Amino acid sequence: MDGAVYREILANNLLPSVRALKRGRGSVFQHDDDLKHTARAAKEWLRKQHLKVPEWPRPSADLNPIESLWREPKVRVAQRQPRKLKDLEMVCVEELAEIPAAACKPGQELQETEALRKWTRANSWFSFTTIALVIVLIVALSCCDNLRRQVPLNFISLGLFTFAEGLMLGAATVRFDAEAVLWAVGATALVSFALTLFAVQSKWDFTGLNGSLWVLMWTLFSFALLCGILRSQYLYILYACLGTLLFSLYLVFDTQLILGGKHRKYQVSPEEYVFAALNLYLDIVSLFLLLLQLIGLCR
């Protein structure tokens, strides 16, 4: 089922129900954030019918306890490995009966996480402020030679950047499930380690690709604007894949700039250690955010 089919279902069933209940314009209609529910065709139809749709909260143990319980019986049933349909039904009944009542109550950590997620969504100024602060520090460290070369100003500036970047990442990751964040952290660590080994061992010189990578970066930025206009999940996934590839190349490029050697056309001066650390930091953080987006969309 897609958005167009869902729109026909609403037209054939929802409108008669609204009329039968004698509800006029401004009625509230609630559905979840399934892809067909958030499709442009469905949104436009609901807007034209003057129906209000409240924001659907993320699945959480606070709002829907079955979300936290669903994994428990799946793991239990998978461990017993039923072979037949009747055996599967019997195992499901037995395992569901053995789940303790205490497991139905959301834990304190889940409540705190959901509260933090709600606060971040309600106070969007926090995310925008951290992003602006990160951009200002990046520009300052990139353009001001004295700031990144003079001790202890360079360490203080890099520490402030690390603090601001941590706040920005916290505001971004709180919107995803904990399992997706852990997968993204593991994938980022694995990719970064593998690419660093490749950059150290490879005789291929990536330091001369600065212009090409810059062009690809602006191409990716233009594609991001297109994704923002079309709002397609498949385009978002493609954007995350292309961004992961681009920043993987940037990680190899920056690593070889730092290492130098006889096979490298360019290299960073040893005095620019803060600038080199900043570049690696940005590459790894960008990889993490893109992998997190990719994992979150695919889930």
Side-chain angles (χ1 to χ4, degrees):
M1 182 187 300
D2 57 9
V5 177
Y6 181 64
R7 178 184 59 191
E8 295 299 325
I9 294 176
L10 292 178
N12 295 330
N13 297 274
L14 179 59
L15 288 183
S17 298
V18 171
R19 298 189 188 100
L21 295 172
K22 298 181 180 180
R23 306 287 296 181
R25 292 189 173 186
S27 299
V28 178
F29 175 66
Q30 181 71 75
H31 57 185
D32 59 21
D33 56 356
D34 188 82
L35 287 179
K36 56 182 173 292
H37 300 163
T38 57
R40 179 176 297 181
K43 285 185 174 181
E44 288 294 327
W45 186 89
L46 290 169
R47 184 183 62 83
K48 291 179 180 179
Q49 301 301 325
H50 304 283
L51 295 172
K52 298 179 180 179
V53 180
E55 181 181 359
W56 182 259
R58 293 176 59 88
S60 67
D62 299 324
L63 301 171
N64 191 1
I66 195 63
E67 293 291 342
S68 62
L69 289 175
W70 192 241
R71 182 177 180 276
E72 186 69 21
K74 286 199 298 184
V75 172
R76 290 170 175 253
V77 171
Q79 290 176 348
R80 296 183 59 174
Q81 298 181 351
R83 300 292 184 181
K84 299 180 180 180
L85 184 60
K86 291 184 178 180
D87 296 337
L88 175 61
E89 182 179 358
M90 181 183 65
V91 169
C92 290
V93 173
E94 293 177 355
E95 295 298 339
L96 286 172
E98 293 181 3
I99 296 178
C104 300
K105 299 180 181 180
Q108 183 66 23
E109 294 181 358
L110 290 174
Q111 294 179 358
E112 293 176 355
T113 302
E114 187 62 31
L116 181 60
R117 181 180 291 122
K118 291 179 180 178
W119 185 89
T120 305
R121 286 187 171 185
N123 299 272
S124 57
W125 61 265
F126 178 77
S127 300
F128 291 114
T129 302
T130 54
I131 293 173
L133 182 59
V134 167
I135 293 175
V136 169
L137 290 172
I138 291 174
V139 173
L141 287 171
S142 301
C143 300
C144 301
D145 295 343
N146 295 332
L147 183 62
R148 66 173 184 263
R149 292 182 180 179
Q150 186 177 356
V151 180
L153 286 179
N154 53 359
F155 292 110
I156 294 176
S157 302
L158 192 61
L160 289 175
F161 171 78
T162 304
F163 178 73
E165 189 79 7
L167 292 178
M168 188 192 74
L169 287 176
T173 55
V174 77
R175 301 173 183 271
F176 294 85
D177 296 332
E179 187 176 356
V181 176
L182 291 177
W183 275 106
V185 170
T188 304
L190 179 62
V191 171
S192 301
F193 179 72
L195 291 176
T196 302
L197 287 181
F198 172 77
V200 172
Q201 299 294 330
S202 176
K203 294 183 179 180
W204 293 353
D205 184 13
F206 287 82
T207 59
L209 300 178
N210 189 20
S212 301
L213 293 176
W214 183 250
V215 171
L216 291 175
M217 172 66 73
W218 281 105
T219 304
L220 184 67
F221 178 75
S222 302
F223 185 67
L225 295 179
L226 179 64
C227 292
I229 295 173
L230 297 180
R231 296 183 179 273
S232 170
Q233 183 179 7
Y234 300 105
L235 284 180
Y236 290 154
I237 294 175
L238 179 60
Y239 166 77
C241 293
L242 294 176
T244 302
L245 176 61
L246 177 60
F247 282 100
S248 297
L249 293 174
Y250 259 115
L251 182 58
V252 176
F253 168 78
D254 290 327
T255 303
Q256 290 189 348
L257 279 180
I258 295 172
L259 295 175
K262 61 181 181 179
H263 298 293
R264 312 300 178 223
K265 186 176 181 180
Y266 302 103
Q267 65 180 13
V268 177
S269 171
E271 297 179 358
E272 297 287 357
Y273 54 89
V274 171
F275 183 68
L278 178 66
N279 287 338
L280 287 181
Y281 197 178
L282 289 174
D283 295 338
I284 295 174
V285 168
S286 300
L287 266 177
F288 168 73
L289 291 175
L290 288 166
L291 287 172
L292 179 60
Q293 180 184 357
L294 182 61
I295 293 172
L297 288 171
C298 292
R299 286 167 61 86

